[in-house]
Amino acid sequence: MLTLTDATFKKEVLDSKDPVFVDFWAPWCGPCKVMSPLVEALAKEYEGQPVKFGKMNVDENDKTPPRFGIMSIPTFIIFKGGKPVEQFVGVQRKEDLKKKIDALLK
């Protein structure tokens, strides 16, 4: 699981040849705390496959979240080819996230 910052976002996400699942979160956010173990489990499940997982703390990074219209957290964006292709806000079901990730890996 990558810890993303404003400084590393371009290199790790936008310039990545693999799709990147990004979790925009904050430590005080209740729904973020609910989703964190699920995102960690997904990252483990997809180890060795051509997809990366990263988390960005919106309190510590003030440039990147507004670029992608992050207004509520948690927000999850899947990037492919440097562009956002899927976006989800709030608590999600693991099965739904897996379907979206699997579709990008085909």
Side-chain angles (χ1 to χ4, degrees):
M1 176 81 67
L2 299 166
T3 299
L4 301 167
T5 66
D6 287 336
T8 64
F9 195 83
K10 181 180 185 311
K11 176 182 175 279
E12 294 289 356
V13 178
L14 303 181
D15 294 343
S16 175
K17 62 180 181 51
D18 295 328
V20 186
F21 182 100
V22 180
D23 175 4
F24 293 90
W25 70 286
W28 48 264
C29 164
C32 299
K33 290 176 186 171
V34 169
M35 290 303 296
S36 187
L38 188 145
V39 173
E40 301 274 344
L42 284 172
K44 280 188 180 36
E45 216 170 297
Y46 283 91
E47 271 179 16
Q49 295 191 48
V51 62
K52 298 193 302 189
F53 288 79
K55 294 174 74 84
M56 176 173 272
N57 183 332
V58 299
D59 287 346
E60 296 174 354
N61 299 280
D62 59 358
K63 292 179 178 47
T64 304
R67 280 182 55 199
F68 296 100
I70 307 299
M71 302 295 281
S72 299
I73 52 173
T75 292
F76 309 97
I77 302 179
I78 303 173
F79 291 83
K80 187 171 185 178
K83 306 254 187 294
V85 293
E86 295 283 352
Q87 182 166 331
F88 318 89
V89 178
V91 174
Q92 303 292 316
R93 291 180 40 219
K94 184 177 179 183
E95 299 79 32
D96 296 336
L97 295 176
K98 283 184 64 143
K99 281 181 194 164
K100 298 296 185 181
I101 296 165
D102 290 343
L104 288 174
L105 295 176
K106 291 185 173 151

